């Protein structure tokens, strides 16, 4: 899943980026509201982790503008404020979740996983496609009982395809979800990761089909 962190506390932002990178997500960071709106106008993100107390416009204004222009990215708001009115305001403006600072990293990870499942239309902690089981809460993958060791980008490719199993995922969509805009990306980087993933899933795993000129599709069987 591709995630944008909007947080002006540099140390906190670095920690969140590192944590979510390690969990297999493509993560980008900006430190003010106007830059967030600019980036979100041109780049696709599945989740925005949005601080309320930004130095230019606050997170509520960012959220209001996003929803006003029809942006459906999921939004988790972060705040040091403890007032019920603030939480209600954020949810009424269209936030999907609300997390109060300071927070434990395990809770942040769990909330991101829950939002990822909601985005895929399936709230279950496990996904089963043919002989493959994806344990979404731990990031483990098994094929016919065999553990599959995936690198971060391979996991991101698999998650993007598995949440849309049976559907064609355009190459541009897949690449946007796997790579952040600050990551160096070779012209064939996506193909390399798809090839590695196919090899690791093996003959018992679901087939990743190439739809020439369009993208990829993970078979349901």
């Amino acid at each position: 899943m591709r995630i944008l962190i909007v947080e002006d506390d540099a140390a906190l932002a670095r920690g969140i980026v590192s944590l979510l990178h390690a969990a297999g997500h493509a993560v980008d960071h900006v430190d003010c509201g106007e830059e967030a709106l600019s980036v979100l106008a041109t780049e696709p993100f599945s989740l925005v982790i949005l601080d309320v107390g930004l130095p230019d416009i606050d997170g509520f204004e960012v959220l209001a503008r996003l929803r006003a222009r029809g942006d459906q990215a999921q939004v988790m708001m972060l705040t040091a404020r403890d007032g019920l009115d603030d939480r209600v305001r954020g949810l009424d403006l269209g936030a999907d979740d609300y997390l109060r600072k300071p927070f434990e990293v395990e809770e942040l990870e769990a909330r991101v996983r829950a939002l990822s499942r909601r985005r895929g239309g399936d709230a279950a902690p496990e996904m089963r496609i043919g002989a493959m089981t994806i344990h979404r809460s731990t990031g483990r993958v098994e094929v016919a009982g065999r553990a599959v060791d995936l690198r971060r980008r391979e996991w991101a490719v698999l998650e993007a395809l598995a949440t849309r199993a049976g559907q064609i995922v355009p190459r541009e969509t897949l690449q946007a979800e796997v790579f952040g805009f600050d990551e160096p990306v070779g012209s064939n980087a996506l193909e390399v990761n798809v090839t590695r993933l196919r090899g690791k899933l093996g003959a018992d795993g679901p087939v990743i089909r190439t739809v020439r000129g369009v993208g990829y599709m993970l078979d349901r069987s």
Side-chain angles (χ1 to χ4, degrees), residues 127-133 142-144 204-206 219-221:
M127 292 176 60
R128 297 190 180 188
I129 301 171
M132 178 178 69
T133 302
E142 297 174 353
V143 173
D204 293 331
D219 280 358
R220 287 186 176 277
S221 56

Side-chain angles (χ1 to χ4, degrees), residues 1-3 20-21 24-28 44-46 119 151-161 164 169-185 189-194 197 216:
M1 182 163 65
R2 191 174 184 193
I3 302 173
L20 296 178
H21 262 309
H25 302 288
V27 188
D28 296 302
F45 288 87
S46 300
R119 177 180 66 95
R151 299 181 182 180
R152 178 175 65 84
R153 286 177 174 168
E154 294 163 356
W155 165 264
V157 171
L158 180 60
E159 181 190 34
L161 292 174
R164 304 174 179 89
V169 182
R171 188 182 190 283
E172 294 76 14
T173 299
L174 193 56
Q175 184 158 306
E177 292 198 16
V178 173
F179 302 101
F181 52 64
D182 289 331
E183 294 183 275
V185 181
L190 181 60
E191 288 78 5
V192 168
N193 282 278
V194 170
L197 181 58
Y216 299 94

Side-chain angles (χ1 to χ4, degrees), residues 12-27:
L12 177 60
R14 283 195 300 271
I16 296 174
V17 169
S18 177
L19 177 76
L20 296 178
H21 262 309
H25 302 288
V27 188

Side-chain angles (χ1 to χ4, degrees), residues 12-160:
L12 177 60
R14 283 195 300 271
I16 296 174
V17 169
S18 177
L19 177 76
L20 296 178
H21 262 309
H25 302 288
V27 188
D28 296 302
H29 168 240
V30 296
D31 61 6
C32 65
E34 292 290 359
E35 186 176 2
L37 289 167
S38 177
V39 167
L40 287 160
T42 59
E43 296 281 341
F45 288 87
S46 300
L47 172 62
V48 182
I49 297 180
L50 175 62
D51 184 29
V52 170
L54 296 170
D56 50 356
I57 56 175
D58 69 22
F60 295 126
E61 178 65 19
V62 174
L63 177 60
R65 292 194 200 177
L66 283 179
R67 296 307 189 224
R69 70 191 190 192
D71 194 314
Q72 296 301 307
Q74 292 179 311
V75 175
M76 179 195 298
M77 305 204 72
L78 300 180
T79 182
R81 305 175 188 176
D82 194 27
L84 176 61
D85 288 347
D86 280 341
R87 296 199 299 273
V88 170
R89 182 184 177 192
L91 294 170
D92 282 346
L93 285 170
D96 297 276
D97 202 355
Y98 212 104
L99 185 59
R100 183 174 176 268
K101 301 176 183 176
F103 51 82
E104 298 295 332
V105 295
E106 293 84 0
E107 182 177 6
L108 176 64
E109 288 181 303
R111 288 173 179 263
V112 169
R113 289 194 298 268
L115 288 170
S116 176
R117 295 196 298 269
R118 192 185 306 171
R119 177 180 66 95
D122 182 358
E126 293 184 356
M127 292 176 60
R128 297 190 180 188
I129 301 171
M132 178 178 69
T133 302
I134 300 175
H135 301 273
R136 301 165 93 174
S137 60
T138 61
R140 292 188 300 111
V141 177
E142 297 174 353
V143 173
R146 167 179 57 88
V148 179
D149 183 23
L150 298 180
R151 299 181 182 180
R152 178 175 65 84
R153 286 177 174 168
E154 294 163 356
W155 165 264
V157 171
L158 180 60
E159 181 190 34

